[in-house]
Amino acid sequence: MANFTLDDVRQRTYKARDAWWTVLLVDPLAARLVKFTANRTRVTPNQLTVGALVLGLAAGACFAVASWPWLLAGALLYHLSFTLDCMDGKIARLKGTGSVFGAWLDYIFDRVRVLACAIALMAGQYAATGNVAYVWTALAVVFLDMLRYMDALEIYKVRSQMRTTLNAAREEARALELAARRANGDLADADEDLRSAEALTEDPEADAENRVVGDDPNAAALQAGFNQRFPWYARIRNVLMAGRIRPHLISGIEFQMGVFIVAPIAAAIVPGAIIPVVVLSGIGLLAFELIIIYKFWLSSRDYSRSLAKLNAKIETHRAELPAEPAQAGAVVGSSG
């Protein structure tokens, strides 16, 4: 059997920055369960993913009953389901057993859980009250969840493409400059000249969630334009980062918890509280999504400027290179 310590779990599985709900309300329990599971059992990440779905569907069944004891039970089961969902990734990172199929399974089962619980929660309330607003609320929950994760995946993909393009241009510019300086007898290092054009390398805002605490990111800031407009943001970000909390305070995770934990608990105390809580959660999600889109727009402008600088350097260094022998020979041959 393995002998992982709690510190091993924290250093190798905690994300460098995560949702505040996860950091404060899930990780303290999940880390201890991961330590026990990794050391004492042969449970796999995919088995935990399936277990999370089963608990999520059980939460949905409780929501469908609609009475206050079952709403409380459903909220508890949903929280436990999310805890298992966090554990599968931690086990995979700790043991190095992650897989492409496991990541796909986790994503699909997350969406199935949200869909099932949204339908069950709102259908139970509709059956109990006859208020058609619950039907529209269910549709809104599913739509917002889909919007959030589609937007996140697309932005992540585009950012990766932007970094790949800039890295390739940077390397080409460096190689051409060194070649030109060698040809002219000047071997001075060109790195300092090129660094000024590298405004877009890694994005701490997007990538910290894919790093773990034990990693040394050494990442350059991507959000130059955003930070210039909002200098106070860096101070808030640094305070939150000290506790591993991302500035995106209402993400898909907090939205789900608002809908499937806070709202049922509130409705168990105050009948009819589900829709107001869901509306507030949705407004918060949309507000932070707009901020992310705005930051992404500014990043795209930084990217365009950086790429233009690098392309200008590439053309300049190409012009500094002497004519290739093959081309020179072709000219001489034609004139003879």
Side-chain angles (χ1 to χ4, degrees), residues 21-22 26 78-86 113 253 257:
W21 186 284
T22 303
V26 177
Y78 197 90
H79 184 71
L80 293 176
S81 171
F82 183 71
T83 301
L84 277 187
D85 189 39
C86 290
R113 179 178 57 192
I253 291 174
M257 304 311 147

Side-chain angles (χ1 to χ4, degrees), residues 155 158-159 162-163 166 199-200 202-203 205-206 221-227 229 291-307:
I155 286 179
V158 174
R159 284 184 187 278
M162 290 159 64
R163 284 194 291 274
L166 278 183
L200 186 65
E202 290 190 55
D203 178 11
E205 298 299 324
L222 176 110
Q223 305 292 348
F226 186 84
N227 290 333
R229 287 169 172 78
I291 293 173
I292 285 179
I293 293 170
Y294 175 63
K295 290 172 66 178
F296 178 60
W297 174 68
L298 291 177
S299 295
S300 69
R301 297 177 65 187
D302 290 339
Y303 163 78
S304 297
R305 285 192 292 266
S306 297
L307 187 60

Side-chain angles (χ1 to χ4, degrees), residues 80-155:
L80 293 176
S81 171
F82 183 71
T83 301
L84 277 187
D85 189 39
C86 290
M87 286 177 60
D88 62 7
K90 294 182 189 301
I91 291 287
R93 288 190 289 272
L94 186 65
K95 290 189 169 184
T97 56
S99 66
V100 173
F101 177 77
W104 173 86
L105 191 70
D106 184 59
Y107 177 81
I108 294 299
F109 279 11
D110 282 352
R111 306 284 69 75
V112 170
R113 179 178 57 192
V114 170
L115 177 63
C117 286
I119 293 173
L121 177 61
M122 302 309 167
Q125 295 300 306
Y126 173 72
T129 65
N131 186 352
V132 73
Y134 287 105
V135 176
W136 294 108
T137 304
L139 293 174
V141 168
V142 173
F143 171 77
L144 289 173
D145 179 76
M146 176 190 69
L147 176 67
R148 160 61 188 153
Y149 282 93
M150 286 180 61
D151 184 49
L153 288 173
E154 188 62 22
I155 286 179

